[in-house]
Amino acid sequence: MTLSAAQCAQYDTDGFVRMPSLLSDAEVSILRDEVGRLATIEDECVFREGTDGTPKTVFRMHESDGATASVPFRALSLTPRVLGAARQALKDDALYIHHTKLNMKGAVEGSVWPWHQDFGSWYLDGIAKPHMTTLMVMLDDATEVGGCLYFLPGSHKRGRIAPRWDDTTAYKFWALPPSDVRQALADHGDPIPITGKAGDAVIFDCNLMHASSHNLSAQDRWQMYYCFNRVANRPRDVENPRPDYVRSKNWQPIEIGPDRIDDPSLSPAAE
Ligand code: SIN
Ligand code: MN
């Protein structure tokens, strides 16, 4: 078991649980090199902001095909550490990945994600139930001044709140109405900064309210997100579906692989 019984209970109560030192220093180094490669790719899966062209977000690293396919990021998604934890969080072994994203939040210019629930967008993707979870891995140290995530513990229990379209930030998306956020902050107390060291991780419920602020520091803030859904909860057809890189149509259940990210059998040539 990846998560202890106490961690599973904490996930249910708070809507998230930390997974310190999920990656070794060597694994962080492999993935950081891979981020450097991905950041140079020009594709519809890569979104940039700022004056130096640093990507804000790179999508779809978990598949074995496509411009942003990544052997080590795909391998990590299949490890017992990652997929095992997602299976425990969702209490189901038949999972697929709705999307993966690398949020780079560049030094000085990397900008805010307003308060939101991920399920605000995913429900509109045609997904009926909030049986989804995200595992986030830090690829450098996450600090408050650098724009770390903030979670509002217990807020997942409010269920899905009707979102509003927010086009005031670099990444336009379905955020929460400010009045709902103020009420939740009054009810649940102070948000928790998700700071940590490179290689630390956290897994969180799709209805957990979260946000992050501007990166005021001199360091980029690199974080990888794996978003899992139950196969049984795959989206129904919707009008004008979002692109596959953010709303996957690969609903095959994924299987646990080796507990390493440098396995040559996972390279595209071996598949
Ligand atoms: C997100 O919540 O989807 C991204 C937030 C962040 O990377 O700061
Ligand atoms: Mn989010």
Side-chain angles (χ1 to χ4, degrees):
M1 300 291 270
T2 303
L3 300 176
S4 67
Q7 284 177 305
C8 289
Q10 194 181 0
Y11 179 88
D12 289 340
T13 303
D14 292 342
F16 70 97
V17 69
R18 293 176 191 265
M19 304 174 70
S21 304
L22 188 80
L23 304 180
S24 68
D25 290 348
E27 289 173 325
V28 169
S29 173
I30 290 171
L31 294 175
R32 286 185 58 83
D33 286 350
E34 186 66 352
V35 174
R37 184 185 71 80
L38 291 164
T40 66
I41 293 172
E42 297 293 339
D43 189 74
E44 61 164 356
C45 301
V46 182
F47 294 84
R48 300 182 189 280
E49 69 173 343
T51 52
D52 63 358
T54 302
K56 179 179 177 70
T57 300
V58 182
F59 285 100
R60 204 177 183 278
M61 278 66 67
H62 63 287
E63 295 287 8
S64 53
D65 61 356
T68 51
S70 164
V71 170
F73 277 117
R74 173 175 167 78
L76 181 60
S77 75
L78 304 176
T79 58
R81 282 171 278 174
V82 170
L83 181 51
R87 287 178 171 186
Q88 286 179 281
L90 294 177
K91 302 179 175 68
D92 193 334
D93 282 353
L95 305 185
Y96 74 95
I97 292 182
H98 183 56
H99 65 237
T100 49
K101 59 184 178 245
L102 174 65
N103 285 344
M104 296 180 64
K105 196 175 273 199
V108 178
E109 293 184 281
S111 59
V112 61
W113 265 273
W115 283 105
H116 66 282
Q117 297 167 307
D118 291 334
F119 196 57
S121 299
W122 298 345
Y123 179 80
L124 298 173
D125 281 336
I127 297 173
K129 296 184 182 155
H131 298 156
M132 303 181 72
T133 195
T134 295
L135 192 146
M136 181 276 277
V137 187
M138 299 172 195
L139 296 176
D140 48 26
D141 295 352
T143 63
E144 292 197 64
V145 71
C148 71
L149 280 179
Y150 285 83
F151 287 165
L152 195 54
S155 57
H156 63 305
K157 296 206 165 153
R158 301 177 90 82
R160 177 181 174 272
I161 297 164
R164 67 167 187 134
W165 181 250
D166 189 328
D167 60 3
T168 63
T169 63
Y171 184 68
K172 300 169 193 355
F173 77 135
W174 291 97
L176 284 165
S179 56
D180 290 295
V181 176
R182 279 193 284 270
Q183 186 59 56
L185 289 167
D187 292 347
H188 296 282
D190 286 339
I192 305 289
I194 307 301
T195 53
K197 298 279 177 211
D200 288 351
V202 64
I203 185 165
F204 60 101
D205 184 276
C206 65
N207 269 330
L208 185 72
M209 293 170 63
H210 59 286
S212 68
S213 50
H214 199 92
N215 183 352
L216 300 175
S217 80
Q219 281 82 45
D220 294 343
R221 190 226 62 177
W222 292 356
Q223 296 187 341
M224 178 67 185
Y225 297 74
Y226 294 99
C227 307
F228 295 91
N229 190 14
R230 291 180 177 173
V231 170
N233 193 36
R234 70 189 204 189
R236 64 180 186 282
D237 288 346
V238 289
E239 270 184 47
N240 304 317
R242 295 198 292 169
D244 288 11
Y245 64 76
V246 71
R247 177 187 178 274
S248 176
K249 293 204 289 272
N250 182 358
W251 300 314
Q252 291 304 310
I254 49 177
E255 298 303 328
I256 288 186
D259 198 21
R260 50 186 286 196
I261 67 168
D262 58 350
D263 186 340
S265 72
L266 289 163
S267 70
E271 287 191 350

